[in-house]
């Protein structure tokens, strides 16, 4: 599974960073998921290998423009590119209504179906081997994190098969495919003989959020957390809590407390210049997080791509 | 007056061309007008000297997404940049309602006022020295051209003043400022003694349109026409008339018939590669137009900037 950042700026685009968008890309095939869709996400995609035909679902964390204003254009372009597969959109209340208003008032045309799921009502969404849940955050408007848990293919539990006296042959073949079989008139259930040899790969992708600790449960066994760090503590104290954002220290402390192995910070205020420039710069964000976090830390950049290995390790590719 | 192209692609953005947006920039000061606002127009503006504080009005030609989906993000960013001046938006029915739906459903925040004018009801809009009228086109949805007529500053008609026996002095000073005066108890009206020494500079900016001849009246005395040429005739014949677009030949023929001195073609289908590439390329569009048009022809590119001189001449800067 790869994470490809399409936008890493807070509020407004800058020359170097677009507003929020993140692609989760499957190892095999062309399937991918989009989390948030700020304006010009479709433009960013032009510079990636991703196609609108491979997009399996869109997840919106909250209704602020820098996280969803790219939806109408992206959906329209998917239509012009010939998409016919229905598309699932998981989003807080308001997004569905806005897209339908857009359709009615300014001619959004989507010949493919749109399946809307309101985030508030999401229990668990399963798409192929991906299990997705939503976790409430704290922001000026309802905001959510999405937890993506990718399950590895199951394989036969040969020890148990042999212990139970199930002979090798056609029965093993059926069970391997997940199909139930029969032996001497007794049912042999696939689910009892197939096991996950590897734990699922778990990635938690947060929306705007002032309280990282709300993600404690979601981050259980997670390999990666992607979280906003709009400010450093100094700026955070100056602008006050009214904007509902996190600073780098707050997120890093949380990640350390729950023992997260990998943390990717994103959604930076445009006041932070690139690393190497005089303060305020990305160096300030990094130093603040590194001071309290002992895991692997990355600061996201547009088009930075990270790979989560089958062992849950993370590296930039 | 300068024309600065922010997007020159039809329907979808490409790596080289954004969807439609065009800035008309005043010679003096920081004032400018925006015609159409496709997605990521605000991103394009980051690469120009234009500021959201100098934007005097927005004109939308029609409700298709590639001409208006950039509005919510642009308006939101203007707010974040501290704009407080009210902003006039001239647009066909639907745009006003869509922006207000956006405000209500996905949190568009504009602390400055928005003054909406429905294009259908536009008689003549006068902003400072600019007079703007709208002209109906033919497309799949109601589409309009905007005619920008910039009036040169008026100066005193000295011959007439002297012939009428109005003495030099304070009276001339008042008249020069456009104020009425009095001489021996008789009113001396400024409008009778101020003349435009230069004809207005006239630029006609079309929206999507299948019938350029609808612009015959609007193009009277115009110095520049900016018009879509989505296709060449060959492609136009293949895709059929249902899309409501023009080909280069059709537009160029019209420009020749009405004696337009300058024609800028734009809004090109992404199938046309840059000039110099094998057909279909921009060379095909150019050749088709040049074959029938004897005026000055330009094919627009993103960030191409053209200057209309006080004599109505046009050159690229």
């Amino acid at each position: 599974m790869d994470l490809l950042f399409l936008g890493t700026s807070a509020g407004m685009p800058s020359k170097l960073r677009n507003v929020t968008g993140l692609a989760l890309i499957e190892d095999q095939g062309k399937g991918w998921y989009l989390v948030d869709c700020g304006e010009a996400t479709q433009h960013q995609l032009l510079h990636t290998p991703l196609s609108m035909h491979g997009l399996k679902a869109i997840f919106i964390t909250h209704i602020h423009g820098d996280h969803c204003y790219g939806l109408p254009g992206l959906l329209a372009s998917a239509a012009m590119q010939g998409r016919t597969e229905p598309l699932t959109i998981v989003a807080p209340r308001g997004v569905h209504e806005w897209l339908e208003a857009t359709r009615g008032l300014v001619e959004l045309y989507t010949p493919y179906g749109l399946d809307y799921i309101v985030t508030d009502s999401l229990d668990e969404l399963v798409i192929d081997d991906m299990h997705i849940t939503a976790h409430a955050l704290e922001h000026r408007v309802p905001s959510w994190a999405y937890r993506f848990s990718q399950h590895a293919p199951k394989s036969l539990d040969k020890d148990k098969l042999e212990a139970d006296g199930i002979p090798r042959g056609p029965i093993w073949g059926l069970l391997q495919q997940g199909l139930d079989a029969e032996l001497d008139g007794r049912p042999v259930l696939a689910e009892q003989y197939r096991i996950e040899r590897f734990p699922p790969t778990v990635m938690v992708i947060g929306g705007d959020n002032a309280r990282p600790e709300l993600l404690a449960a979601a981050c259980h066994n997670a390999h990666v957390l992607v979280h906003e760090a709009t400010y450093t503590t100094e700026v955070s104290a100056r602008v006050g809590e009214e904007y509902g954002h996190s600073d780098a220290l707050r997120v890093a402390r949380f990640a350390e407390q729950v023992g997260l192995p990998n943390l990717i910070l994103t959604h930076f205020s445009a006041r932070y210049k690139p690393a190497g420039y005089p303060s305020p710069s990305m160096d300030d964000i990094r130093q603040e997080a590194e001071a309290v976090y002992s895991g692997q830390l990355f600061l996201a950049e547009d088009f930075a791509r990270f790979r989560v290995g089958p062992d849950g390790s993370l590296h930039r590719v």
Side-chain angles (χ1 to χ4, degrees), chain A:
Chain A
M1 204 74 190
D2 282 10
L3 294 169
L4 173 53
F5 284 85
L6 301 168
T8 58
S9 176
M12 283 188 291
S14 74
K15 279 188 197 174
L16 294 176
R17 298 176 183 273
N18 195 31
V19 285
T20 302
L22 173 60
L24 275 71
I25 311 167
E26 294 179 343
D27 294 333
Q28 310 285 329
K30 298 185 168 183
W32 62 287
Y33 303 88
L34 178 63
V35 182
D36 280 336
C37 186
E39 182 179 357
T41 293
Q42 67 158 323
H43 297 64
Q44 297 290 85
L45 287 169
L46 293 173
H47 302 278
T48 74
L50 300 173
S51 140
M52 289 308 301
H53 296 284
L55 178 57
K56 291 179 140 184
I58 300 177
F59 299 82
I60 301 294
T61 61
H62 64 297
I63 60 167
H64 282 158
D66 57 324
H67 295 254
C68 70
Y69 283 179
L71 280 171
L74 182 122
L75 298 178
S77 289
M80 283 184 259
Q81 286 160 26
R83 182 180 177 114
T84 54
E85 281 288 296
L87 181 60
T88 297
I89 301 181
V90 181
R93 220 171 290 285
V95 171
H96 171 173
E97 294 80 356
W98 180 56
L99 289 174
E100 292 309 312
T102 303
R103 185 191 303 284
L105 293 166
V106 286
E107 290 256 323
L108 173 60
Y109 171 64
T110 54
Y112 52 87
L114 290 178
D115 299 327
Y116 293 107
I117 297 174
V118 178
T119 310
D120 313 49
S121 69
L122 181 69
D123 179 20
E124 183 184 53
L125 177 65
V126 179
I127 305 178
D128 302 328
D129 57 358
M130 191 67 88
H131 297 231
I132 305 118
T133 52
H135 305 267
L137 305 174
E138 184 169 306
H139 192 50
R140 278 172 294 150
V141 294
S143 183
W144 303 85
Y146 293 100
R147 183 183 201 264
F148 290 81
S149 175
Q150 187 184 32
H151 291 249
K154 288 182 175 173
S155 56
L156 283 185
D157 185 347
K158 295 180 186 172
D159 293 342
K160 185 169 157 66
L161 283 165
E162 283 167 0
D164 290 354
I166 316 280
R168 282 176 191 267
I171 293 180
W172 283 37
L174 285 170
L175 298 174
Q176 175 71 59
Q177 295 169 59
L179 302 171
D180 296 334
E182 226 182 63
L183 179 64
D184 303 334
R186 284 185 300 123
V188 183
L189 302 180
E191 67 173 28
Q192 292 177 357
Y193 295 100
R194 293 171 81 233
I195 51 174
E196 289 185 25
R197 292 200 185 275
F198 301 99
T201 305
V202 177
M203 294 152 289
V204 179
I205 318 293
D208 289 7
N209 179 32
R211 294 178 55 207
E213 65 272 23
L214 292 172
L215 284 170
C219 284
H220 182 65
N221 286 337
H223 298 98
V224 192
L225 169 64
V226 176
H227 199 285
E228 64 129 314
T230 309
Y231 309 121
T232 47
T233 46
E234 187 228 328
V235 172
S236 185
R238 192 144 30 93
V239 301
E241 288 294 316
E242 63 175 311
Y243 292 105
H245 287 300
S246 282
D247 49 63
L249 182 66
R250 192 181 305 194
V251 185
R253 245 185 210 144
F254 163 74
E256 183 68 15
Q257 274 161 12
V258 298
L260 262 168
N262 299 289
L263 173 63
I264 308 179
L265 299 178
T266 184
H267 195 270
F268 306 112
S269 159
R271 78 192 72 207
Y272 296 100
K273 295 181 285 291
Y277 277 77
S279 184
S281 82
M282 299 306 296
D283 293 324
D284 303 330
I285 304 254
R286 178 177 293 280
Q287 283 159 22
E288 191 167 299
E290 275 179 351
V292 299
Y293 180 59
S294 60
Q296 204 179 188
L297 173 74
F298 295 96
L299 307 193
E301 295 165 16
D302 285 23
F303 302 114
R305 184 166 178 159
F306 300 90
R307 185 154 298 158
V308 189
D311 59 350
S313 66
L314 182 80
H315 67 280
R316 188 162 171 175
V317 290

